[in-house]
Amino acid sequence: MIGQKLRAFMYGRYGMDQLNMALLILCSLLILVNFFVNSYILSLIATLIVIWETFRALSKKHYARQKENTVFLKFWAPTEKWIRTRYTRFKERNVYKYRTCPNCKATLRLPAKKGRHTTKCPKCATEFSVRI
Ligand SMILES: [Zn+2]
């Protein structure tokens, strides 16, 4: 009964997308941090985020909400890629080391063998010495 009413209420409304998910996570983090610092401004920001998020989820203007999400994804995609790269490098830190080619600035993934080695960049064929 309640589920049916909720479904009827949500019919035609925008719902969740990546931007709303990010807002939800951001808001949760703010609330968590606010447990420790107990700041009025932080709780105000968290409240505003909840209001914005609710407005977006209940909105019936799908086109405008999708445009907002597209703008968000344009900013978020490179950030996510950067985070994933750092995470992968951290996970493989005992197997590979990453060094930059002095000539073309390409990033090379080298086996993590300690000492000084000579390596050749596969992109520009420059030979240079690296210390790992
Ligand atoms: Zn190079």
Side-chain angles (χ1 to χ4, degrees), residues 96-112:
Y96 300 111
K97 297 291 176 196
Y98 294 83
R99 295 293 182 268
T100 309
C101 169
N103 185 39
C104 70
K105 308 293 178 219
T107 304
L108 310 184
R109 190 179 75 173
L110 306 168

Side-chain angles (χ1 to χ4, degrees), residues 9-20 55-71:
F9 176 74
M10 285 307 287
Y11 180 76
R13 294 183 192 272
Y14 187 64
M16 289 299 276
D17 62 2
Q18 290 95 334
L19 174 56
N20 257 7
F55 162 77
R56 290 192 79 248
L58 299 181
S59 170
K60 288 185 173 177
K61 293 178 179 168
H62 289 221
Y63 182 67
R65 301 293 84 79
Q66 277 166 3
K67 254 170 61 179
E68 289 167 3
N69 196 44
T70 307
V71 170

Side-chain angles (χ1 to χ4, degrees), residues 16-117:
M16 289 299 276
D17 62 2
Q18 290 95 334
L19 174 56
N20 257 7
M21 208 58 206
L23 289 174
L24 187 75
I25 292 168
L26 179 68
C27 188
S28 310
L29 285 177
L30 282 179
I31 290 169
L32 195 72
V33 168
N34 208 24
F35 267 126
F36 301 103
V37 292
N38 207 9
S39 142
Y40 169 75
I41 294 167
L42 272 188
S43 67
L44 182 74
I45 292 171
T47 309
L48 289 175
I49 289 174
V50 168
I51 290 169
W52 187 30
E53 197 186 308
T54 310
F55 162 77
R56 290 192 79 248
L58 299 181
S59 170
K60 288 185 173 177
K61 293 178 179 168
H62 289 221
Y63 182 67
R65 301 293 84 79
Q66 277 166 3
K67 254 170 61 179
E68 289 167 3
N69 196 44
T70 307
V71 170
F72 165 72
L73 287 179
K74 215 177 267 177
F75 147 79
W76 178 244
T79 312
E80 189 186 3
K81 192 182 167 200
W82 187 88
I83 292 170
R84 273 185 202 282
T85 307
R86 293 303 167 292
Y87 178 67
T88 305
R89 285 183 187 189
F90 180 75
K91 256 191 351 196
E92 299 176 338
R93 69 192 179 283
N94 293 324
V95 186
Y96 300 111
K97 297 291 176 196
Y98 294 83
R99 295 293 182 268
T100 309
C101 169
N103 185 39
C104 70
K105 308 293 178 219
T107 304
L108 310 184
R109 190 179 75 173
L110 306 168
K113 279 198 284 182
K114 282 208 182 299
R116 185 166 278 285
H117 310 281

